[in-house]
Amino acid sequence: MTQHHPGGSRAWAAARKKVLSRLRFTSLRLRLVVVFGLVALTAAVSASAIAYWLNREAVLTRTQDAVLRDFEQEMRNRAGALPERPTQDELQNTAGLMATSSQRFSVLLVAEDAEGRTVYGSSGGLSGFSLQDVPVSLREAVNERQKDTSADKSAYHLYWQRIVEGDTPYLVAGSKVNGGGPTGYMLKSLEPEAKDLNSLAWSLGIATGLALIGSALLAQAAATTVLKPVQRLGAAARRLGEGKLDTRLRVSGTDELADLSRTFNNAAEALEKRVADMAARDEASRRFVADMSHELRTPLTAITAVTEVLEEELDSESGGIDPMIEPAVRLVVSETRRLNDLVENLMEVTRFDAGTARLVLDDVDIADQITACIDARAWLDAVELDAERGIHARLDPRRLDVILANLVGNALKHGGSPVRVSVREADDSIVIEVRDHGPGIPEDVLPHVFDRFYKASASRPRSEGSGLGLSIALENAHIHGGGITAANSPEGGAVFTLRLPRDASALTGGAEGAGKDRADGDQSKGEGAKGNA
């Protein structure tokens, strides 16, 4: 019993796909073969046509001259020996003798007998050669008397014509005996010459076909020679595009393709060096931000503890703070909080840039999570929630809280209450929309709302937020495999749409984060790029 081998089918499919890819009309290989073929076909057809025409004329002219020369000689010797008014028997006998010449043509003699009647003498060949077989124009030319000239005193000339009857070519000629005598006509079949010419045409056609095949093979060889370096260059460019910057081409020869390979190698080397320099600078920049953030946390912790004491003194009824310095103390407390938020945001950004951010997944009720986020920040009176209970997703609760806090806080800060948060299910995703009732986002700012530290106006370089809130929210959405979009509602106000997968387990590679990110601080402040506009 024969068994089907799946590997063989795949190999056949791969080979077939490779062949079809080479035969694409846009393929340079196919175009080279077609161009070579057209050039060879044009040259072969032209050469064959010229050769056929020259040989045809040579064959027909040679045969025609020999026949006409023989016929003219027979007319002069045999027909000229007849009396001016011969009998039919004499004509018949002479026609038979004339037909036995070396060229073997049929003969028809026409004359008037002694009684003035037209008599005919035919050699009897070719189903009885008769006067009806002679074209009228030829008969008229033969019987027309010519004027005497000093160069030619003959009253009648020899005329000939080629005709085709039943796909068979014939040569017809006619002449009249000068000085009085019968008129003679000759009919010669050119079928042997036609067969020879057909054989020649077939031979030239076969030669043309072989030339076409040879040109296709030569074109294939030339295309392979030319395209192999191009294919290697294409493969090297793809590897370079995939990030393999150490890709180089082997250079051999001194032609244009070798120069192209050298240029590619030089460009790849320069690109590798520039990318390495940029990567080094980027790594140094990330390291600086990370080190700076960590270094700032130690003194900031002490400053935060002092500001908390000062804040308690401000809120106490004993009035422990001198009213003269109270505004300064409140400014210090406010700026310390802002600095603390900025440091936490910078540390979060460095984790995303370094690729060390991890998900710590848990089963989350979306409505409960949103309610907890709003309640923790005392936004219950300013936020309308449109979410059904029981919509569950497997997400990172802390990162979801960061996203919601930034989106809702940004809407409250710049759009004004009430802010409406709605939740809906879409296939395998959860869609959360945060809409405010403010003036909306300017069209020139809309593409940049998620950019880090983006300032929509140079006249307002400083804002209450760090300028990283919406950027961090977007990064947290991306690490879940989702995204955030910003738009203006037709009814007024801005709309931020968060789309997250119902289950982000596939992004953890089967091993969920160890939870160490929870110790990095809670990004609870709602801020964003829109606030920096």
Side-chain angles (χ1 to χ4, degrees):
M1 182 175 68
T2 303
Q3 294 183 348
H4 179 70
H5 194 277
S9 299
R10 286 194 295 269
W12 167 253
R16 181 172 176 269
K17 183 178 180 181
K18 185 176 181 181
V19 171
L20 291 178
S21 66
R22 289 186 175 184
L23 293 180
R24 291 195 312 268
F25 184 73
T26 56
S27 169
L28 183 58
R29 181 186 301 273
L30 179 59
R31 281 184 283 174
L32 283 174
V33 172
V34 170
V35 169
F36 268 72
L38 289 176
V39 171
L41 182 62
T42 303
V45 169
S46 301
S48 298
I50 294 173
Y52 178 78
W53 182 79
L54 292 175
N55 281 276
R56 178 178 180 275
E57 289 302 314
V59 169
L60 293 179
T61 301
R62 184 172 59 252
T63 301
Q64 173 183 295
D65 291 346
V67 172
L68 293 178
R69 187 168 52 252
D70 197 4
F71 175 67
E72 188 175 18
Q73 184 177 357
E74 291 292 328
M75 284 291 297
R76 186 183 304 111
N77 295 336
R78 296 187 184 275
L82 290 172
E84 185 175 350
R85 293 182 178 273
T87 64
Q88 184 173 3
D89 291 338
E90 290 174 335
L91 289 177
Q92 188 75 28
N93 184 47
T94 302
L97 293 174
M98 293 174 63
T100 59
S101 69
S102 60
Q103 297 299 324
R104 299 294 179 181
F105 43 72
S106 299
V107 177
L108 173 66
L109 296 178
V110 182
E112 290 185 357
D113 59 8
E115 298 177 358
R117 294 177 303 176
T118 302
V119 292
Y120 302 91
S122 174
S123 62
L126 296 174
S127 301
F129 180 35
S130 64
L131 196 61
Q132 287 73 24
D133 296 327
V134 180
V136 176
S137 59
L138 180 63
R139 281 183 273 166
E140 293 176 351
V142 168
N143 293 314
E144 183 179 358
R145 185 180 182 87
Q146 305 296 321
K147 295 180 180 180
D148 293 341
T149 62
S150 57
D152 187 3
K153 298 184 178 299
S154 299
Y156 300 98
H157 294 165
L158 173 67
Y159 295 93
W160 59 270
Q161 186 175 343
R162 295 174 190 164
I163 62 174
V164 177
E165 290 185 3
D167 296 331
T168 302
Y170 293 94
L171 175 65
V172 182
S175 179
K176 191 169 185 175
V177 176
N178 289 299
T183 302
Y185 296 99
M186 177 274 301
L187 182 66
K188 169 68 175 179
S189 174
L190 299 177
E191 186 174 6
E193 288 75 12
K195 289 182 178 179
D196 292 340
L197 292 175
N198 288 336
S199 299
L200 176 62
W202 274 105
S203 300
L204 293 175
I206 294 173
T208 301
L210 294 176
L212 186 60
I213 294 174
S215 68
L217 295 177
L218 289 175
Q220 176 70 13
T224 301
T225 303
V226 173
L227 293 181
K228 267 189 176 180
V230 176
Q231 290 172 348
R232 288 197 295 267
L233 181 61
R238 284 191 294 271
R239 290 196 301 270
L240 196 65
E242 293 170 356
K244 301 175 182 177
L245 301 181
D246 59 343
T247 301
R248 298 293 185 273
L249 289 173
R250 181 173 56 85
V251 180
S252 59
T254 58
D255 56 7
E256 289 80 359
L257 292 174
D259 290 340
L260 181 60
S261 299
R262 292 189 188 92
T263 303
F264 175 86
N265 289 340
N266 295 334
E269 184 177 357
L271 179 62
E272 183 181 20
K273 184 177 183 301
R274 178 165 296 184
V275 169
D277 293 343
M278 292 177 62
R281 288 196 298 267
D282 188 54
E283 178 62 27
S285 176
R286 285 201 303 266
R287 175 56 58 187
F288 171 76
V289 173
D291 292 344
M292 181 191 68
S293 301
H294 282 284
E295 290 296 329
L296 285 175
R297 292 190 72 175
T298 301
L300 189 58
T301 302
I303 295 174
T304 302
V306 173
T307 56
E308 288 176 354
V309 173
L310 292 175
E311 189 174 12
E312 290 176 359
E313 290 294 328
L314 288 172
D315 295 336
S316 67
E317 298 178 357
S318 61
I321 299 296
D322 188 342
M324 295 295 293
I325 64 171
E326 181 178 342
V329 173
R330 291 190 181 277
L331 179 61
V332 169
V333 171
S334 174
E335 291 301 314
T336 301
R337 286 177 178 171
R338 183 173 178 274
L339 181 59
N340 189 63
D341 292 340
L342 178 59
V343 171
E344 293 294 339
N345 285 338
L346 286 174
M347 294 186 67
E348 184 77 358
V349 167
T350 57
R351 282 192 290 271
F352 283 120
D353 289 343
T356 59
R358 297 291 182 268
L359 291 175
V360 181
L361 302 181
D362 196 1
D363 290 327
V364 176
D365 187 300
I366 302 299
D368 291 344
Q369 184 70 25
I370 297 174
T371 302
C373 175
I374 296 173
D375 185 36
R377 294 160 180 82
W379 292 339
L380 287 175
D381 295 336
V383 178
E384 297 178 356
L385 178 59
D386 180 13
E388 297 181 359
R389 304 287 176 179
I391 300 178
H392 290 271
R394 187 163 182 77
L395 304 169
D396 187 327
R398 183 186 72 84
R399 296 189 182 278
L400 179 58
D401 182 80
V402 171
I403 297 172
L404 295 171
N406 278 290
L407 294 181
V408 176
N410 187 78
L412 288 172
K413 184 183 302 181
H414 306 287
S417 61
V419 173
R420 183 177 181 82
V421 181
S422 59
V423 181
R424 72 175 188 272
E425 299 178 88
D427 298 330
D428 294 332
S429 301
I430 304 296
V431 178
I432 302 174
E433 289 186 353
V434 179
R435 177 189 170 192
D436 60 45
H437 291 78
I441 307 173
E443 293 297 328
D444 59 331
V445 177
L446 198 57
H448 305 286
V449 293
F450 296 104
D451 294 351
R452 297 176 183 176
F453 302 110
Y454 176 74
K455 303 291 183 181
S457 173
S459 62
R460 296 195 301 163
R462 185 178 184 276
S463 63
E464 296 180 5
S466 64
L468 295 172
L470 288 181
S471 175
I472 291 174
L474 183 62
E475 294 289 351
N476 279 301
H478 285 167
I479 200 174
H480 279 90
I484 307 175
T485 58
N488 289 315
S489 173
E491 301 174 1
V495 179
F496 286 84
T497 304
L498 168 66
R499 184 180 294 271
L500 296 175
R502 189 181 293 274
D503 189 353
S505 300
L507 299 175
T508 63
E512 298 178 2
K516 63 180 181 179
D517 290 343
R518 295 188 183 274
D520 294 331
D522 183 12
Q523 303 295 328
S524 61
K525 298 296 182 182
E527 55 189 11
K530 191 172 136 182
N532 300 329

